[in-house]
Amino acid sequence: MTCVLAIDIGGTKLAAALVDEAGSILRSATRPTPRSDVMSALAALIKEVMDDGPPPQAVGIGCAGPVDLAAGTVSPVNMPSWRGFPLRREVRELTGLPTVLAGDAQCFALGEHWLGAGRDCASLLGVVVSTGIGGGLVIDGVPLLGPTGNAGHVGHMSIDPYGERCECGGRGCVERYSSGPNMTRWALENGWTPGTASSTTSTGSSPTGTGTATGTGIGTGSGTDSGGASLAPHGTPEKADARALAQDAAAGDPIAVAAFERGARALAGMIASTAAAVEINAVVIGGGVSAAGKVLFEPLEQALDDVSGLPFVKAVQVRQSTLGVRASLAGAAHLAWHPPPTS
């Protein structure tokens, strides 16, 4: 049986899988990302997945960025031990296989286009709304990577040139308004107290973890981020984070609701601008904050309708991820099967 090795590298988790041409996972494993010596942990993970399995033909890697495709290096913000790390060369030497590298958010978009919520779309924008905001573009079925591999980095698109200063050094970046920590920060600054409006039982289910069973497809329905209104487990949250904020917004807390509306409007401005520039058919949104469901998606659709003018921009559909945490792994596998000409 022919397959490829797909690898997904993030600040909290390393994942690898053998994936066939239809997107079915033959073997998979995950490990926490260590604070140092990440390559040793990744090498052990690769060995675990490849031992006694069918030999892969190529390797696809989705890694947190920034990335430099020309050099094959990565400098993930949340992995300080990797700065300019030659990831593509290291994996190629370790496996002896052709190796393709892209950003994890770009792999998210490609995975959703291949097997998830964007399967019927010629062109789409994938957006990961979490601790930060990542993005990737698939145009006419092909990932748009850009000269350095950072195309689609929509989290740092400015939607307000007079807005707040972002951690990246820019001003008015979407991430400053719409990421989980920044929505939480704004809510706290405006008087929100976690749990004051969420004494009722949670109505939604929390996102399930990684770890797809051997032999299941990446595109199967289980294990995705849920569309429920709450990110928190049953009970009143005590921690001031995006999970608690989502639960309070679902319960009607006015400040929590306003925080999500503010974040959604910034996302809408970014989506409308991207659609006007590259004419996408759909936007697929994933990441932990997307599990807030209608708390996020209802104000987002309303804001997008308000800020969009041109008919082809208004026609863009907003969809929730169906692959959840598996989308980047799916995209990495697709890259290995169909490497872009520049790789």
Side-chain angles (χ1 to χ4, degrees):
M1 177 176 290
T2 58
C3 64
V4 295
L5 175 64
I7 299 171
D8 180 25
I9 300 172
T12 60
K13 173 183 63 67
L14 307 175
L18 296 179
V19 183
D20 70 14
E21 208 161 1
S24 293
I25 291 180
L26 310 178
R27 296 169 60 88
S28 67
T30 63
R31 295 188 177 205
T33 303
R35 294 187 60 83
S36 61
D37 204 9
V38 179
M39 193 61 215
S40 292
L42 181 60
L45 177 67
I46 291 171
K47 184 178 186 301
E48 178 183 347
V49 171
M50 290 181 60
D51 277 356
D52 301 321
Q57 298 181 344
V59 183
I61 308 171
C63 184
V67 302
D68 185 335
L69 291 191
T73 60
V74 298
S75 302
V77 174
N78 294 322
M79 296 166 61
S81 65
W82 276 8
R83 288 293 174 267
F85 184 76
L87 178 61
R88 186 172 58 201
R89 185 191 71 201
E90 291 285 333
V91 173
R92 182 187 295 144
E93 291 178 354
L94 180 67
T95 62
L97 296 170
T99 301
V100 187
L101 170 67
D104 57 349
Q106 292 156 331
C107 286
F108 166 84
L110 188 56
E112 291 288 345
H113 180 267
W114 181 29
L115 298 171
R119 279 177 292 182
D120 59 339
C121 299
S123 300
L124 67 82
L125 168 67
V127 183
V128 179
V129 184
S130 187
T131 303
I133 294 182
L137 288 159
V138 180
I139 306 298
D140 293 331
V142 179
L144 179 63
L145 302 180
T148 65
N150 293 290
H153 207 64
V154 294
H156 294 282
M157 180 184 292
S158 176
I159 46 84
D160 183 359
Y162 302 101
E164 297 181 11
R165 182 70 69 184
C166 179
E167 289 84 352
C168 76
R171 187 179 290 281
C173 295
V174 176
E175 187 170 299
R176 183 67 181 173
Y177 300 86
S178 307
S179 70
N182 277 307
M183 285 195 293
T184 301
R185 171 189 56 80
W186 183 88
L188 289 168
E189 289 172 353
N190 284 272
W192 171 60
T193 301
T196 54
S198 58
S199 59
T200 58
T201 301
S202 168
T203 58
S205 57
S206 62
T208 56
T210 60
T212 307
T214 299
T216 58
I218 294 178
T220 54
S222 61
T224 62
D225 289 342
S226 87
S230 172
L231 295 178
H234 294 305
T236 302
E238 297 178 358
K239 188 177 179 181
D241 59 12
R243 292 173 181 264
L245 186 68
Q247 186 165 340
D248 278 4
D253 181 279
I255 299 174
V257 169
F260 270 92
E261 289 177 344
R262 180 175 182 266
R265 192 163 188 86
L267 285 173
M270 174 272 291
I271 290 169
S273 297
T274 304
V278 296
E279 195 168 1
I280 51 179
N281 304 118
V283 178
V284 179
I285 298 180
V289 177
S290 73
K294 66 180 182 179
V295 168
L296 174 67
F297 284 90
E298 285 186 356
L300 174 57
E301 291 183 3
Q302 292 168 4
L304 188 56
D305 183 66
D306 181 48
V307 302
S308 301
L310 297 170
F312 72 91
V313 177
K314 279 189 174 293
V316 172
Q317 297 180 1
V318 177
R319 304 174 181 179
Q320 189 170 3
S321 165
T322 58
L323 297 184
V325 295
R326 301 188 306 275
S328 293
L329 202 61
H334 192 278
L335 274 178
W337 281 118
H338 309 284
T342 56
S343 64

Coordinates of all heavy atoms in Angstrom, one line a residue, residues 161-230:
P161 N -5.9 51.3 10.7 CA -4.6 51.9 10.7 C -4.4 52.9 11.9 O -3.2 53.2 12.2 CB -4.6 52.7 9.4 CG -6.0 52.9 9.0 CD -6.7 51.7 9.5
Y162 N -5.4 53.2 12.6 CA -5.3 54.0 13.8 C -5.6 53.2 15.1 O -5.8 53.8 16.2 CB -6.3 55.2 13.8 CG -6.1 56.1 12.6 CD1 -7.0 56.0 11.5 CD2 -5.1 57.0 12.5 CE1 -6.8 56.8 10.4 CE2 -4.9 57.8 11.4 CZ -5.7 57.7 10.3 OH -5.5 58.5 9.2
G163 N -5.6 51.9 14.9 CA -6.0 51.0 16.0 C -4.9 50.7 17.0 O -3.8 51.4 17.0
E164 N -5.1 49.7 17.8 CA -4.2 49.3 18.9 C -2.9 48.8 18.3 O -2.9 48.2 17.2 CB -4.8 48.3 19.8 CG -6.1 48.7 20.5 CD -6.6 47.6 21.4 OE1 -5.9 46.6 21.6 OE2 -7.7 47.7 21.9
R165 N -1.8 49.1 19.0 CA -0.5 48.5 18.6 C -0.5 47.1 18.9 O -0.8 46.6 20.0 CB 0.6 49.3 19.4 CG 2.0 48.8 19.0 CD 2.4 49.3 17.7 NE 2.6 50.7 17.6 CZ 2.9 51.4 16.4 NH1 3.0 50.7 15.3 NH2 3.0 52.7 16.4
C166 N -0.1 46.3 17.9 CA 0.0 44.8 18.0 C 1.4 44.4 18.6 O 2.4 45.1 18.5 CB -0.3 44.2 16.7 SG -0.2 42.4 16.7
E167 N 1.4 43.2 19.1 CA 2.6 42.6 19.6 C 3.7 42.4 18.5 O 4.9 42.4 18.8 CB 2.4 41.2 20.3 CG 1.6 41.3 21.6 CD 0.1 41.4 21.5 OE1 -0.4 41.6 20.3 OE2 -0.6 41.3 22.5
C168 N 3.2 42.3 17.3 CA 4.1 42.2 16.1 C 4.8 43.5 15.8 O 5.8 43.5 15.0 CB 3.4 41.6 14.9 SG 2.4 42.9 14.0
G169 N 4.4 44.6 16.3 CA 4.9 45.9 16.0 C 4.0 46.7 15.1 O 4.2 47.9 14.9
G170 N 3.1 46.0 14.5 CA 2.1 46.7 13.6 C 1.0 47.4 14.4 O 1.0 47.4 15.6
R171 N 0.0 47.9 13.7 CA -1.1 48.6 14.3 C -2.4 48.2 13.7 O -2.5 48.0 12.5 CB -0.9 50.2 14.2 CG -2.0 50.9 15.0 CD -1.8 52.4 14.8 NE -0.6 53.0 15.4 CZ -0.5 53.2 16.7 NH1 -1.5 53.0 17.5 NH2 0.7 53.7 17.2
G172 N -3.3 47.9 14.6 CA -4.7 47.5 14.1 C -4.8 46.1 13.5 O -5.7 45.9 12.7
C173 N -3.9 45.2 13.9 CA -3.9 43.9 13.4 C -5.1 43.1 13.9 O -5.6 43.3 15.0 CB -2.7 43.1 13.8 SG -1.1 43.7 13.1
V174 N -5.7 42.2 13.0 CA -6.8 41.4 13.4 C -6.6 40.7 14.7 O -7.4 40.6 15.6 CB -7.1 40.4 12.3 CG1 -8.3 39.5 12.7 CG2 -7.5 41.1 11.0
E175 N -5.4 40.1 14.9 CA -5.0 39.3 16.0 C -5.2 40.1 17.3 O -5.6 39.5 18.4 CB -3.6 38.8 15.9 CG -3.2 37.8 17.0 CD -1.9 37.1 16.8 OE1 -1.8 36.4 15.7 OE2 -1.0 37.2 17.6
R176 N -5.0 41.4 17.3 CA -5.1 42.2 18.5 C -6.6 42.3 18.9 O -6.8 42.6 20.1 CB -4.5 43.6 18.2 CG -4.5 44.6 19.3 CD -3.6 44.1 20.4 NE -3.6 45.1 21.5 CZ -3.0 44.9 22.7 NH1 -2.3 43.8 22.9 NH2 -3.1 45.8 23.7
Y177 N -7.5 42.0 18.1 CA -8.9 42.2 18.4 C -9.6 40.8 18.5 O -10.6 40.7 19.2 CB -9.6 43.0 17.3 CG -9.1 44.4 17.2 CD1 -8.0 44.6 16.3 CD2 -9.6 45.5 17.8 CE1 -7.4 45.9 16.2 CE2 -9.1 46.8 17.7 CZ -8.0 47.0 16.9 OH -7.5 48.2 16.8
S178 N -9.2 39.8 17.8 CA -10.0 38.6 17.6 C -9.4 37.3 18.1 O -10.1 36.3 18.1 CB -10.2 38.4 16.1 OG -10.8 39.6 15.5
S179 N -8.1 37.3 18.6 CA -7.6 36.1 19.2 C -8.2 35.9 20.5 O -8.8 36.8 21.2 CB -6.1 36.2 19.3 OG -5.7 37.1 20.3
G180 N -8.2 34.6 21.0 CA -8.8 34.3 22.3 C -8.2 35.2 23.4 O -9.0 35.8 24.2
P181 N -6.9 35.3 23.6 CA -6.3 36.1 24.7 C -6.7 37.6 24.6 O -6.9 38.2 25.6 CB -4.8 35.8 24.6 CG -4.7 34.5 23.9 CD -5.8 34.4 23.0
N182 N -6.7 38.1 23.4 CA -7.0 39.5 23.2 C -8.5 39.8 23.4 O -8.8 40.9 23.9 CB -6.5 40.0 21.8 CG -5.1 40.3 21.9 OD1 -4.6 41.1 22.7 ND2 -4.3 39.8 21.0
M183 N -9.4 38.9 23.0 CA -10.8 39.1 23.4 C -11.0 39.1 24.9 O -11.7 39.9 25.5 CB -11.7 38.1 22.7 CG -11.9 38.3 21.2 SD -13.3 37.4 20.5 CE -12.6 35.7 20.6
T184 N -10.3 38.1 25.5 CA -10.4 38.0 27.0 C -9.8 39.3 27.7 O -10.4 39.8 28.6 CB -9.6 36.8 27.5 OG1 -10.1 35.6 26.8 CG2 -9.6 36.6 29.0
R185 N -8.7 39.8 27.2 CA -8.0 41.0 27.7 C -9.0 42.2 27.6 O -9.2 42.9 28.6 CB -6.7 41.3 26.9 CG -6.1 42.6 27.3 CD -5.0 43.0 26.3 NE -5.4 43.0 24.9 CZ -6.1 44.0 24.3 NH1 -6.4 45.1 25.0 NH2 -6.4 43.9 23.1
W186 N -9.6 42.3 26.5 CA -10.5 43.5 26.3 C -11.7 43.3 27.3 O -12.2 44.3 27.9 CB -11.0 43.5 24.9 CG -11.9 44.7 24.6 CD1 -11.6 45.9 24.2 CD2 -13.4 44.7 24.7 NE1 -12.7 46.7 24.1 CE2 -13.8 46.0 24.4 CE3 -14.3 43.7 25.0 CZ2 -15.1 46.4 24.4 CZ3 -15.6 44.1 25.1 CH2 -16.1 45.4 24.7
A187 N -12.3 42.1 27.4 CA -13.4 41.9 28.3 C -13.0 42.2 29.7 O -13.8 42.9 30.5 CB -13.9 40.5 28.2
L188 N -11.9 41.8 30.2 CA -11.4 42.1 31.6 C -11.3 43.6 31.8 O -11.6 44.1 32.8 CB -10.1 41.3 31.9 CG -10.3 39.8 32.0 CD1 -8.9 39.2 32.0 CD2 -11.0 39.5 33.3
E189 N -10.7 44.3 30.8 CA -10.5 45.7 30.9 C -11.8 46.5 30.9 O -11.8 47.6 31.5 CB -9.6 46.2 29.7 CG -8.2 45.8 29.7 CD -7.5 46.1 28.4 OE1 -8.1 46.6 27.4 OE2 -6.2 45.9 28.3
N190 N -12.9 45.8 30.4 CA -14.1 46.5 30.4 C -15.1 46.0 31.5 O -16.3 46.2 31.4 CB -14.8 46.4 29.0 CG -14.1 47.3 28.0 OD1 -14.5 48.5 27.9 ND2 -13.1 46.9 27.4
G191 N -14.5 45.3 32.5 CA -15.3 44.9 33.7 C -15.9 43.5 33.7 O -16.7 43.2 34.6
W192 N -15.5 42.7 32.8 CA -16.0 41.3 32.8 C -15.4 40.5 34.0 O -14.2 40.6 34.3 CB -15.6 40.6 31.5 CG -15.9 39.1 31.5 CD1 -17.1 38.5 31.7 CD2 -15.0 38.1 31.3 NE1 -17.0 37.1 31.6 CE2 -15.7 36.8 31.4 CE3 -13.6 38.0 31.1 CZ2 -15.0 35.6 31.2 CZ3 -13.0 36.8 30.9 CH2 -13.7 35.6 30.9
T193 N -16.2 39.8 34.7 CA -15.8 38.8 35.8 C -16.2 37.4 35.3 O -17.4 37.2 35.1 CB -16.5 39.2 37.1 OG1 -16.1 40.5 37.5 CG2 -16.0 38.2 38.2
P194 N -15.3 36.5 35.2 CA -15.6 35.2 34.7 C -16.6 34.5 35.6 O -16.5 34.5 36.8 CB -14.2 34.5 34.7 CG -13.2 35.5 34.7 CD -13.8 36.7 35.4
G195 N -17.6 33.8 34.9 CA -18.5 33.0 35.6 C -19.7 33.6 36.1 O -20.7 33.0 36.6
T196 N -19.8 35.0 36.0 CA -21.0 35.6 36.6 C -22.3 35.4 35.9 O -23.4 35.5 36.5 CB -20.7 37.2 36.6 OG1 -20.4 37.6 35.3 CG2 -19.6 37.5 37.6
A197 N -22.2 35.0 34.6 CA -23.4 34.8 33.8 C -23.5 33.3 33.4 O -24.4 33.0 32.6 CB -23.4 35.7 32.6
S198 N -22.7 32.4 33.9 CA -22.7 31.1 33.4 C -22.9 30.0 34.4 O -22.3 28.9 34.4 CB -21.3 30.8 32.7 OG -20.3 31.0 33.6
S199 N -23.8 30.2 35.3 CA -24.1 29.3 36.4 C -24.9 28.1 35.8 O -25.0 27.0 36.5 CB -24.8 29.9 37.5 OG -26.0 30.5 37.1
T200 N -25.5 28.3 34.7 CA -26.3 27.2 34.1 C -25.4 26.1 33.5 O -24.2 26.4 33.2 CB -27.2 27.7 33.0 OG1 -26.5 28.3 32.0 CG2 -28.3 28.6 33.6
T201 N -25.9 24.9 33.3 CA -25.0 23.9 32.7 C -24.7 24.2 31.3 O -25.4 24.7 30.5 CB -25.8 22.5 32.8 OG1 -26.2 22.3 34.1 CG2 -25.0 21.4 32.2
S202 N -23.4 23.8 30.9 CA -22.9 24.0 29.6 C -23.8 23.3 28.6 O -24.2 22.2 28.8 CB -21.5 23.5 29.5 OG -21.1 23.4 28.2
T203 N -24.1 24.0 27.5 CA -25.0 23.4 26.4 C -24.2 22.8 25.3 O -24.8 22.1 24.5 CB -25.9 24.4 25.8 OG1 -25.1 25.5 25.3 CG2 -26.8 25.0 26.9
G204 N -22.9 23.0 25.2 CA -22.1 22.5 24.1 C -21.1 21.5 24.6 O -21.0 21.3 25.8
S205 N -20.4 20.9 23.7 CA -19.4 19.9 24.1 C -18.1 20.5 23.7 O -17.9 21.2 22.8 CB -19.6 18.6 23.3 OG -19.6 18.8 22.0
S206 N -17.1 20.2 24.6 CA -15.7 20.7 24.3 C -15.1 20.0 23.2 O -15.4 18.9 22.9 CB -14.9 20.6 25.6 OG -14.8 19.3 26.0
P207 N -14.1 20.6 22.6 CA -13.4 19.9 21.5 C -12.7 18.7 22.0 O -12.1 18.7 23.1 CB -12.4 21.0 21.0 CG -12.5 22.2 21.8 CD -13.6 22.0 22.8
T208 N -12.7 17.7 21.2 CA -12.1 16.4 21.6 C -10.6 16.5 21.2 O -10.2 17.3 20.4 CB -12.7 15.2 21.0 OG1 -12.8 15.4 19.6 CG2 -14.1 15.1 21.5
G209 N -9.8 15.6 21.7 CA -8.4 15.6 21.5 C -8.0 15.0 20.2 O -8.8 14.6 19.4
T210 N -6.7 14.9 20.0 CA -6.1 14.3 18.8 C -6.0 12.8 19.0 O -6.4 12.3 20.0 CB -4.7 14.9 18.5 OG1 -3.9 14.6 19.7 CG2 -4.7 16.4 18.3
G211 N -5.4 12.2 18.0 CA -5.2 10.8 18.1 C -6.3 10.0 17.3 O -7.2 9.4 17.9
T212 N -6.2 10.0 16.0 CA -7.2 9.3 15.2 C -6.8 7.8 15.2 O -5.7 7.4 15.1 CB -7.1 9.8 13.7 OG1 -7.3 11.3 13.8 CG2 -8.2 9.2 12.9
A213 N -7.8 7.0 15.3 CA -7.6 5.5 15.3 C -7.0 5.0 14.0 O -7.3 5.6 13.0 CB -8.8 4.8 15.7
T214 N -6.2 4.0 14.1 CA -5.6 3.4 12.9 C -6.6 3.0 12.0 O -7.6 2.3 12.3 CB -4.7 2.2 13.3 OG1 -3.7 2.6 14.2 CG2 -4.1 1.5 12.1
G215 N -6.4 3.4 10.7 CA -7.3 2.9 9.6 C -8.5 3.9 9.4 O -9.3 3.6 8.5
T216 N -8.7 4.9 10.2 CA -9.7 5.8 9.9 C -9.3 7.0 9.0 O -8.1 7.3 9.0 CB -10.3 6.4 11.2 OG1 -9.2 7.1 11.9 CG2 -10.8 5.4 12.2
G217 N -10.2 7.6 8.3 CA -9.9 8.7 7.5 C -9.7 10.0 8.2 O -10.4 10.2 9.2
I218 N -8.9 10.8 7.7 CA -8.7 12.2 8.3 C -10.0 12.9 8.2 O -10.3 13.7 9.1 CB -7.5 12.9 7.6 CG1 -6.2 12.2 7.8 CG2 -7.5 14.3 8.1 CD1 -5.1 12.9 7.2
G219 N -10.8 12.7 7.2 CA -12.0 13.4 7.0 C -13.2 12.9 7.7 O -14.3 13.3 7.4
T220 N -13.1 11.9 8.6 CA -14.2 11.4 9.3 C -14.7 12.4 10.3 O -14.0 13.3 10.7 CB -13.9 10.1 10.0 OG1 -12.8 10.3 10.8 CG2 -13.6 9.0 9.0
G221 N -16.0 12.2 10.7 CA -16.6 13.3 11.5 C -16.2 13.3 13.0 O -16.4 14.3 13.6
S222 N -15.8 12.2 13.5 CA -15.5 12.2 15.0 C -14.2 13.0 15.2 O -13.3 13.0 14.4 CB -15.3 10.8 15.5 OG -14.2 10.1 14.8
G223 N -14.1 13.6 16.4 CA -12.9 14.3 16.9 C -12.8 15.7 16.4 O -11.7 16.3 16.6
T224 N -13.8 16.2 15.8 CA -13.7 17.6 15.3 C -14.1 18.6 16.4 O -14.8 18.2 17.4 CB -14.6 17.8 14.1 OG1 -16.0 17.6 14.5 CG2 -14.3 16.9 13.0
D225 N -13.8 19.9 16.2 CA -14.3 20.9 17.2 C -15.8 20.9 17.1 O -16.4 20.9 16.0 CB -13.8 22.3 16.8 CG -12.3 22.4 17.1 OD1 -11.8 21.6 17.8 OD2 -11.7 23.3 16.5
S226 N -16.5 21.0 18.2 CA -17.9 20.9 18.2 C -18.5 22.3 17.8 O -17.8 23.3 18.0 CB -18.5 20.5 19.5 OG -18.6 21.6 20.4
G227 N -19.7 22.4 17.4 CA -20.4 23.7 17.2 C -21.1 24.2 18.4 O -21.9 25.1 18.2
G228 N -21.0 23.6 19.5 CA -21.7 24.0 20.7 C -21.3 25.4 21.2 O -20.3 25.9 20.8
A229 N -22.1 25.9 22.0 CA -21.9 27.3 22.5 C -20.8 27.5 23.5 O -20.3 28.5 23.7 CB -23.2 27.9 23.0
S230 N -20.4 26.4 24.1 CA -19.5 26.5 25.2 C -18.2 25.7 24.9 O -18.2 24.6 24.4 CB -20.1 25.9 26.5 OG -19.1 25.8 27.5

